[in-house]
Amino acid sequence: MRTTVFLIVLSCISYLRGQHSTSVYGIVIDGVTKKPMHNVVVGIFGSVVESYTDQNGKFEFETSQTGAHILQISATDYLAKRLPIILESEPLNLGQIAMEKDFISEKVDNLITLTDGDLSDDVQTISGSLGLLQSTKDIFLNRAAFDFGQAFFRVRGYDSSYGDVSINGISMNKFYDGRPQWNNWGGLNDAIRNQEFTNGLEINPYRFGGILGNTNIDTRPSGLRPGMRISSSMTNRTYRGRIMATYNSGLKENGLAFSLSSSRRWADEGFIAGTLYDAYSFFGSLEYQINDNNSFALTTILAKNRRGRSSALTEEVFDLMGNKYNPYWGNQEGTIRNSRERDIFEPLLMLNHFLETKKLNWNTGIAYQFGTNARSRLGYFNAPNPDRTYYRYLPSYYINSSIGADFTNANLAEEAFLKNPQIQWEQLYEANSNTLNAGKAAYLLYDDVIKDTQISLSSNMHYAINAHFNLGFGTSFKTLSSHSFAQIQDLLGASFHEDIDSFSNTVNDLGGSLAKTQNEKFNYHYKMDVSQISGFGQVEGNFDRWRGFISSTFSNSNFQREGIFLNERFLENSRGKSKKIMFPNLGLKGGFSYFFSGRHWLTVNGAIIEKAPVLQNIFINPRENNDIVAGIQNETISTIDVNYFIRLPDLTGRLSAFHSRFQNTTDVNFFFVDSGVGSDFVQEVVTGLDKLHRGIELGLVYDVSSNVKISLVGNLGSYVFASDPSVQINFDTAGAEEDLLDPEGSIDLGISKIKDLKLAQGPQTAFAFGMEY
């Protein structure tokens, strides 16, 4: 009997020992940057035992299994790792596990940036997703870039000014329109590939951010792959050829690392007729690591881009000439000459200090940027319009005549247009050489120039209080001094230009010479002084089943115009400084995530943000006077989104619903009126404009096998005007009927009934199905 009891007890002890769990733990880091990786899947291969790394890259799980097994570590865009381990009922510390980037993912990055969508046309109506897409592998955002098109489809219907782009933590968004100027680092794909992206309202360590998302480009050489890389490509789009060379030294034993990159892109003519492309880019960065925690980085970016622009076409012109037609160019002595060229050269210098410890990351930097952005165009004065697509030269002008259709002259107009559809440069020289002009230019080629000097300072820190809570703080200051003026590039055979407005016969520069010659400023000249100070604070909590954060921001923006020219039409307010206008802003956002398991989780984000209007919407007509939009105020944004994520072994994806309202927005548009109340350049001022964006996003990827993937993405949106705004038209001169104008030279058109009409934000519904091998 005693033997039987002893055997039973021994069996229980053996069973309990067999059930003793083994703790497996470690840290997963990026093999190049050495930074901890969040949300990496770590588990026993062939079993359901798995864990996910936290914000510090740590993982830990327990298993009752013993013996030899395979530990599998996998993360999006990284090569999966399988490590042999032996479980012996004792804690197993695996230390640091370094993950390597998937080379295929890098090639996908290049494909996105090769589209060169960052170099949009003059009006810069670029996609809201532009630039944010090349640094994320979210399937919906990727398909939005590839299939829907960066220049065609806007994520959630947002303008790109609602996304924040920074380099080493310093914001690159411009005061003028709120958008980054991608030309400033175009062609440097290899040097700027180290990017960190946060989508939408997600928390990020560098700035409070925008509702579209945030991209931070890290230019430190220590974070780039060592070695030499040379690439060349050909395309039939914006440019024809590109060659790019990059060398990264890697971090040396003495703590030094440097990176050099240069590229050349060119085309005598792009896909659209007459669109030349000539771009040079250079990048250099030197980093010195004083010790394991402190490093300094000096970065310089020189990118010069010159290209011929193309014009939007009416349906009539498109039907006559096709989709490659461009009216902006013409042959001059057998050479293509484009009248609308854009030349951008804005060098950037940056110095940063990085402090990185186990608990604290602190980045402080200063940036200095200067240079010019010039756009050329043909000017004509008391002379016929040289644009061959001018509506009076087309057949429709005679067919739609108020006195009845004139098909004879319509046919003659069509024949004349088809025979000479381009600019006739020789005729412009002949007109300027007419003896009746006495050397005065009837036509000239000039540049609209913006010459900027900007200084930016930024400091932000991220502190891990413990395993559950993180704090973030940051502040920034940015100041801009910007000169805008017109400058004569070519008198086209004339001796001088008489700087008089041809509509009102008034002098544009009363304090200067009436006769302007080549390279002189004319027509308008003013200065803008802008500054902004901002700060943010945030706290984040991470627990087993949930994660949440709350973030707040404060900023104050100052704008002031100073007129250099005294314009005869605006004697009282064209020269000197305007009233300084200030916009204090507050913002609050937060988010909550609940993890049903490691494979299913739900996230809810919301924000209420005040945003200062961009510079182009504050002054009514800055080229000529100091008038400010009456009653202008901060834009108020309220938004919420709900996201469901799924990550199964073969199926990953996201389903999102969003609701955003933009209130009190202002919009200033410029155009030429040649009918109705007269002929004049006018400004359309729209105030009290609200917009409503609602929709659903879906992105799914299914791995049929290790070599075949199927993807399904869709966007079902509704982007509409949410108010009936007020509209006012302001006239440059007395070209309108005097009895229609108020003393300020404007017409109040009252309320525009546009509520519930769709916004011109591109497609609001889009779906795509793809298969990748």
Side-chain angles (χ1 to χ4, degrees), residues 258-277:
F258 69 89
S259 177
L260 298 172
S261 183
S262 184
S263 75
R264 169 87 166 93
R265 292 164 292 162
W266 69 91
D268 292 331
E269 191 174 38
F271 178 78
I272 303 296
T275 54
L276 65 92
Y277 198 105

Side-chain angles (χ1 to χ4, degrees), residues 247-318:
Y247 176 74
N248 301 313
S249 68
L251 188 64
K252 304 297 184 181
E253 292 183 359
N254 59 5
L256 286 174
F258 69 89
S259 177
L260 298 172
S261 183
S262 184
S263 75
R264 169 87 166 93
R265 292 164 292 162
W266 69 91
D268 292 331
E269 191 174 38
F271 178 78
I272 303 296
T275 54
L276 65 92
Y277 198 105
D278 187 19
Y280 299 84
S281 301
F282 172 79
F283 168 91
S285 185
L286 176 66
E287 182 180 5
Y288 177 54
Q289 290 195 358
I290 302 174
N291 50 44
D292 292 339
N293 303 124
N294 290 273
S295 65
F296 287 89
L298 178 65
T299 302
T300 180
I301 300 177
L302 309 174
K304 191 177 190 305
N305 182 281
R306 171 176 168 255
R307 71 182 187 274
R309 287 154 48 199
S310 59
S311 171
L313 303 178
T314 63
E315 184 177 0
E316 179 183 14
V317 174
F318 181 89

